[in-house]
Amino acid sequence: HLHKAVDLNSVKKSMQSSVWLVCSECLKERTLIDGEAVGSHEILVCLKCGFQGCNKSGIEHAVKHHQAFHPESHCITISLSTWKAWCFECNEELSTHCNKKALAQTLDFLQKQAVKATSAVSPKIIKLREESDPSRSKSSAIYNSLVPVKGITNLGNTCFFNAVMQNLAQTHMLIDLIQEVKEKGFKLRICPPPETSLTPFTVMLSGPEPLTAAMFLFLQTMKESGKGPVNPKILFNQLCQKAPRFKGYQQQDSQELLHYLLDSIRVEETKRVKAAILKAFNNPTEKTADEETKRQVKAYGKEGVKMNFVDRIFVGELTNTIMCEECEHISTVKEAFIDISLPIIEERVSYVTL
């Protein structure tokens, strides 16, 4: 079906006139899905015409688009959240590592579009969310409000720590997400990919682990009005328990501290999500669980751990793609990253003596 259902030029033209990561039909209807804005669910792109359709159960504009047009010509899509290709006619996932040049070029184009789109949020989407979704007005107000700038007490050569925390305190997306997940009893909705044949699943999280709880408390204190510096001793002590190398009040590297902090919080949040999933399945063990239960727990766990706030804000994915010029075989390696080291090339100015 690749020969009939992939048209890179049509996809490029469609992207120029459409809103990125938003279902075209939901946008026309001003549809809210589960109280969330239209851009909040998985979006599939038709590789024949560039139509963006949602994959939400019960609506499935992507499937309806495939059925409305010539099935074989509009049967292949790519998910803008997982970058997986799916053929509706074959009812199976396609490997993007295959040696089909058209598919690889279209995937590469869409990933580049994603980078451009995330650098500037579309004003149309912001306006739509504000007008159509009153339930998000509270979090939007938190997101848009400026966090007061406060001093942080130096505990003894801890300026490397304070510098990192000042930056995190002004990361508005972090403050916004914390308001959602900080409380015990937060309901996390997990939506596995279509190929797993699993329905969306909601689990209830327990309270945050010690380091994460200390982080939430610190950021909340930084956000509150009032004069005087904030003492970060509780948070710093919790971090030192996870990473003893920062004890002793010696000068340390800020970047290393940020890595240790985010990695440690990510481990705690992963544990929190996995525990909630196991509890929802009545805490099965290797001996008591059947194969289907094991499969479901594994699938929900794989998707659930990706939804922690550290990954959603700070973790990116670096894709290395190599194509053989002779056989056009493509190999792709994906690697998660928190930061990328880039060389700074010094600009040299040539002077001409007259």
Side-chain angles (χ1 to χ4, degrees), residues 7-25:
D7 187 339
L8 179 56
N9 290 330
S10 295
V11 172
K12 287 182 177 180
K13 290 179 182 178
S14 176
M15 289 300 148
Q16 292 175 359
S17 58
S18 60
V19 181
W20 178 256
L21 206 58
V22 171
C23 173
S24 301
E25 289 300 313

PDB file of all heavy atoms in Angstrom, residues 7-25:
ATOM      1  N   ASP A   7       2.244  10.324  -0.156  1.00  0.00           N
ATOM      2  CA  ASP A   7       2.468  11.439  -1.077  1.00  0.00           C
ATOM      3  C   ASP A   7       3.053  12.598  -0.275  1.00  0.00           C
ATOM      4  O   ASP A   7       2.323  13.373   0.342  1.00  0.00           O
ATOM      5  CB  ASP A   7       1.155  11.850  -1.745  1.00  0.00           C
ATOM      6  CG  ASP A   7       1.360  12.893  -2.849  1.00  0.00           C
ATOM      7  OD1 ASP A   7       2.412  13.575  -2.842  1.00  0.00           O
ATOM      8  OD2 ASP A   7       0.467  13.034  -3.699  1.00  0.00           O
ATOM      9  N   LEU A   8       4.374  12.710  -0.272  1.00  0.00           N
ATOM     10  CA  LEU A   8       5.062  13.706   0.547  1.00  0.00           C
ATOM     11  C   LEU A   8       4.674  15.131   0.159  1.00  0.00           C
ATOM     12  O   LEU A   8       4.478  15.989   1.028  1.00  0.00           O
ATOM     13  CB  LEU A   8       6.577  13.519   0.444  1.00  0.00           C
ATOM     14  CG  LEU A   8       7.439  14.510   1.223  1.00  0.00           C
ATOM     15  CD1 LEU A   8       7.071  14.520   2.702  1.00  0.00           C
ATOM     16  CD2 LEU A   8       8.921  14.190   1.049  1.00  0.00           C
ATOM     17  N   ASN A   9       4.547  15.412  -1.122  1.00  0.00           N
ATOM     18  CA  ASN A   9       4.204  16.774  -1.557  1.00  0.00           C
ATOM     19  C   ASN A   9       2.836  17.209  -1.033  1.00  0.00           C
ATOM     20  O   ASN A   9       2.657  18.359  -0.602  1.00  0.00           O
ATOM     21  CB  ASN A   9       4.239  16.856  -3.089  1.00  0.00           C
ATOM     22  CG  ASN A   9       5.640  16.769  -3.649  1.00  0.00           C
ATOM     23  OD1 ASN A   9       6.602  17.194  -2.992  1.00  0.00           O
ATOM     24  ND2 ASN A   9       5.789  16.214  -4.843  1.00  0.00           N
ATOM     25  N   SER A  10       1.864  16.310  -1.074  1.00  0.00           N
ATOM     26  CA  SER A  10       0.528  16.639  -0.561  1.00  0.00           C
ATOM     27  C   SER A  10       0.556  16.867   0.950  1.00  0.00           C
ATOM     28  O   SER A  10      -0.142  17.753   1.465  1.00  0.00           O
ATOM     29  CB  SER A  10      -0.451  15.505  -0.881  1.00  0.00           C
ATOM     30  OG  SER A  10      -0.626  15.378  -2.279  1.00  0.00           O
ATOM     31  N   VAL A  11       1.368  16.090   1.644  1.00  0.00           N
ATOM     32  CA  VAL A  11       1.496  16.263   3.094  1.00  0.00           C
ATOM     33  C   VAL A  11       2.092  17.633   3.407  1.00  0.00           C
ATOM     34  O   VAL A  11       1.636  18.345   4.295  1.00  0.00           O
ATOM     35  CB  VAL A  11       2.361  15.142   3.704  1.00  0.00           C
ATOM     36  CG1 VAL A  11       2.656  15.424   5.180  1.00  0.00           C
ATOM     37  CG2 VAL A  11       1.656  13.798   3.574  1.00  0.00           C
ATOM     38  N   LYS A  12       3.122  18.028   2.648  1.00  0.00           N
ATOM     39  CA  LYS A  12       3.761  19.333   2.862  1.00  0.00           C
ATOM     40  C   LYS A  12       2.772  20.475   2.638  1.00  0.00           C
ATOM     41  O   LYS A  12       2.721  21.431   3.419  1.00  0.00           O
ATOM     42  CB  LYS A  12       4.966  19.484   1.928  1.00  0.00           C
ATOM     43  CG  LYS A  12       6.160  18.636   2.321  1.00  0.00           C
ATOM     44  CD  LYS A  12       7.325  18.871   1.374  1.00  0.00           C
ATOM     45  CE  LYS A  12       8.548  18.085   1.804  1.00  0.00           C
ATOM     46  NZ  LYS A  12       9.700  18.291   0.887  1.00  0.00           N
ATOM     47  N   LYS A  13       1.972  20.389   1.567  1.00  0.00           N
ATOM     48  CA  LYS A  13       0.990  21.441   1.280  1.00  0.00           C
ATOM     49  C   LYS A  13      -0.056  21.521   2.378  1.00  0.00           C
ATOM     50  O   LYS A  13      -0.463  22.609   2.796  1.00  0.00           O
ATOM     51  CB  LYS A  13       0.315  21.168  -0.073  1.00  0.00           C
ATOM     52  CG  LYS A  13       1.225  21.370  -1.274  1.00  0.00           C
ATOM     53  CD  LYS A  13       0.492  21.057  -2.565  1.00  0.00           C
ATOM     54  CE  LYS A  13       1.421  21.208  -3.776  1.00  0.00           C
ATOM     55  NZ  LYS A  13       0.717  20.846  -5.026  1.00  0.00           N
ATOM     56  N   SER A  14      -0.497  20.371   2.850  1.00  0.00           N
ATOM     57  CA  SER A  14      -1.515  20.343   3.898  1.00  0.00           C
ATOM     58  C   SER A  14      -1.005  20.976   5.187  1.00  0.00           C
ATOM     59  O   SER A  14      -1.743  21.684   5.878  1.00  0.00           O
ATOM     60  CB  SER A  14      -1.954  18.900   4.159  1.00  0.00           C
ATOM     61  OG  SER A  14      -2.869  18.841   5.228  1.00  0.00           O
ATOM     62  N   MET A  15       0.252  20.740   5.520  1.00  0.00           N
ATOM     63  CA  MET A  15       0.819  21.263   6.767  1.00  0.00           C
ATOM     64  C   MET A  15       0.891  22.795   6.765  1.00  0.00           C
ATOM     65  O   MET A  15       0.867  23.431   7.815  1.00  0.00           O
ATOM     66  CB  MET A  15       2.221  20.681   7.002  1.00  0.00           C
ATOM     67  CG  MET A  15       2.205  19.216   7.364  1.00  0.00           C
ATOM     68  SD  MET A  15       1.283  18.884   8.878  1.00  0.00           S
ATOM     69  CE  MET A  15       0.631  17.269   8.550  1.00  0.00           C
ATOM     70  N   GLN A  16       0.984  23.388   5.574  1.00  0.00           N
ATOM     71  CA  GLN A  16       1.059  24.846   5.483  1.00  0.00           C
ATOM     72  C   GLN A  16      -0.261  25.513   5.876  1.00  0.00           C
ATOM     73  O   GLN A  16      -0.281  26.644   6.360  1.00  0.00           O
ATOM     74  CB  GLN A  16       1.444  25.258   4.060  1.00  0.00           C
ATOM     75  CG  GLN A  16       2.866  24.861   3.685  1.00  0.00           C
ATOM     76  CD  GLN A  16       3.183  25.183   2.232  1.00  0.00           C
ATOM     77  OE1 GLN A  16       2.332  25.685   1.488  1.00  0.00           O
ATOM     78  NE2 GLN A  16       4.404  24.896   1.810  1.00  0.00           N
ATOM     79  N   SER A  17      -1.374  24.803   5.690  1.00  0.00           N
ATOM     80  CA  SER A  17      -2.690  25.413   5.934  1.00  0.00           C
ATOM     81  C   SER A  17      -3.417  24.841   7.158  1.00  0.00           C
ATOM     82  O   SER A  17      -4.518  25.278   7.475  1.00  0.00           O
ATOM     83  CB  SER A  17      -3.580  25.215   4.702  1.00  0.00           C
ATOM     84  OG  SER A  17      -3.721  23.839   4.394  1.00  0.00           O
ATOM     85  N   SER A  18      -2.808  23.876   7.826  1.00  0.00           N
ATOM     86  CA  SER A  18      -3.477  23.254   8.980  1.00  0.00           C
ATOM     87  C   SER A  18      -2.762  23.627  10.270  1.00  0.00           C
ATOM     88  O   SER A  18      -1.632  24.110  10.256  1.00  0.00           O
ATOM     89  CB  SER A  18      -3.516  21.733   8.811  1.00  0.00           C
ATOM     90  OG  SER A  18      -2.206  21.210   8.713  1.00  0.00           O
ATOM     91  N   VAL A  19      -3.453  23.383  11.383  1.00  0.00           N
ATOM     92  CA  VAL A  19      -2.886  23.670  12.707  1.00  0.00           C
ATOM     93  C   VAL A  19      -2.219  22.409  13.233  1.00  0.00           C
ATOM     94  O   VAL A  19      -2.824  21.347  13.290  1.00  0.00           O
ATOM     95  CB  VAL A  19      -3.981  24.134  13.685  1.00  0.00           C
ATOM     96  CG1 VAL A  19      -3.370  24.453  15.052  1.00  0.00           C
ATOM     97  CG2 VAL A  19      -4.693  25.352  13.131  1.00  0.00           C
ATOM     98  N   TRP A  20      -0.966  22.527  13.628  1.00  0.00           N
ATOM     99  CA  TRP A  20      -0.175  21.368  14.025  1.00  0.00           C
ATOM    100  C   TRP A  20      -0.743  20.699  15.280  1.00  0.00           C
ATOM    101  O   TRP A  20      -1.135  21.347  16.229  1.00  0.00           O
ATOM    102  CB  TRP A  20       1.271  21.792  14.272  1.00  0.00           C
ATOM    103  CG  TRP A  20       2.155  20.661  14.727  1.00  0.00           C
ATOM    104  CD1 TRP A  20       2.603  20.416  15.977  1.00  0.00           C
ATOM    105  CD2 TRP A  20       2.693  19.623  13.901  1.00  0.00           C
ATOM    106  NE1 TRP A  20       3.380  19.282  16.006  1.00  0.00           N
ATOM    107  CE2 TRP A  20       3.454  18.771  14.739  1.00  0.00           C
ATOM    108  CE3 TRP A  20       2.593  19.315  12.547  1.00  0.00           C
ATOM    109  CZ2 TRP A  20       4.128  17.653  14.258  1.00  0.00           C
ATOM    110  CZ3 TRP A  20       3.258  18.190  12.066  1.00  0.00           C
ATOM    111  CH2 TRP A  20       4.011  17.383  12.918  1.00  0.00           C
ATOM    112  N   LEU A  21      -0.783  19.354  15.250  1.00  0.00           N
ATOM    113  CA  LEU A  21      -1.145  18.525  16.399  1.00  0.00           C
ATOM    114  C   LEU A  21      -2.588  18.741  16.859  1.00  0.00           C
ATOM    115  O   LEU A  21      -2.908  18.605  18.028  1.00  0.00           O
ATOM    116  CB  LEU A  21      -0.185  18.774  17.567  1.00  0.00           C
ATOM    117  CG  LEU A  21       0.003  17.626  18.585  1.00  0.00           C
ATOM    118  CD1 LEU A  21       0.496  16.377  17.883  1.00  0.00           C
ATOM    119  CD2 LEU A  21       0.943  18.032  19.689  1.00  0.00           C
ATOM    120  N   VAL A  22      -3.455  19.083  15.914  1.00  0.00           N
ATOM    121  CA  VAL A  22      -4.876  19.267  16.235  1.00  0.00           C
ATOM    122  C   VAL A  22      -5.708  18.561  15.175  1.00  0.00           C
ATOM    123  O   VAL A  22      -5.459  18.708  13.974  1.00  0.00           O
ATOM    124  CB  VAL A  22      -5.244  20.764  16.284  1.00  0.00           C
ATOM    125  CG1 VAL A  22      -6.752  20.937  16.408  1.00  0.00           C
ATOM    126  CG2 VAL A  22      -4.554  21.444  17.443  1.00  0.00           C
ATOM    127  N   CYS A  23      -6.692  17.787  15.618  1.00  0.00           N
ATOM    128  CA  CYS A  23      -7.593  17.097  14.699  1.00  0.00           C
ATOM    129  C   CYS A  23      -8.375  18.137  13.890  1.00  0.00           C
ATOM    130  O   CYS A  23      -9.024  19.015  14.456  1.00  0.00           O
ATOM    131  CB  CYS A  23      -8.543  16.207  15.486  1.00  0.00           C
ATOM    132  SG  CYS A  23      -9.835  15.453  14.471  1.00  0.00           S
ATOM    133  N   SER A  24      -8.311  18.036  12.584  1.00  0.00           N
ATOM    134  CA  SER A  24      -8.969  19.014  11.712  1.00  0.00           C
ATOM    135  C   SER A  24     -10.478  19.030  11.912  1.00  0.00           C
ATOM    136  O   SER A  24     -11.105  20.098  11.901  1.00  0.00           O
ATOM    137  CB  SER A  24      -8.648  18.699  10.242  1.00  0.00           C
ATOM    138  OG  SER A  24      -7.254  18.737  10.016  1.00  0.00           O
ATOM    139  N   GLU A  25     -11.077  17.858  12.125  1.00  0.00           N
ATOM    140  CA  GLU A  25     -12.524  17.790  12.312  1.00  0.00           C
ATOM    141  C   GLU A  25     -12.936  18.328  13.675  1.00  0.00           C
ATOM    142  O   GLU A  25     -13.929  19.048  13.804  1.00  0.00           O
ATOM    143  CB  GLU A  25     -13.012  16.335  12.154  1.00  0.00           C
ATOM    144  CG  GLU A  25     -12.943  15.826  10.736  1.00  0.00           C
ATOM    145  CD  GLU A  25     -13.783  16.653   9.775  1.00  0.00           C
ATOM    146  OE1 GLU A  25     -14.939  16.941  10.106  1.00  0.00           O
ATOM    147  OE2 GLU A  25     -13.269  17.031   8.705  1.00  0.00           O
TER     148      GLU A  25
END
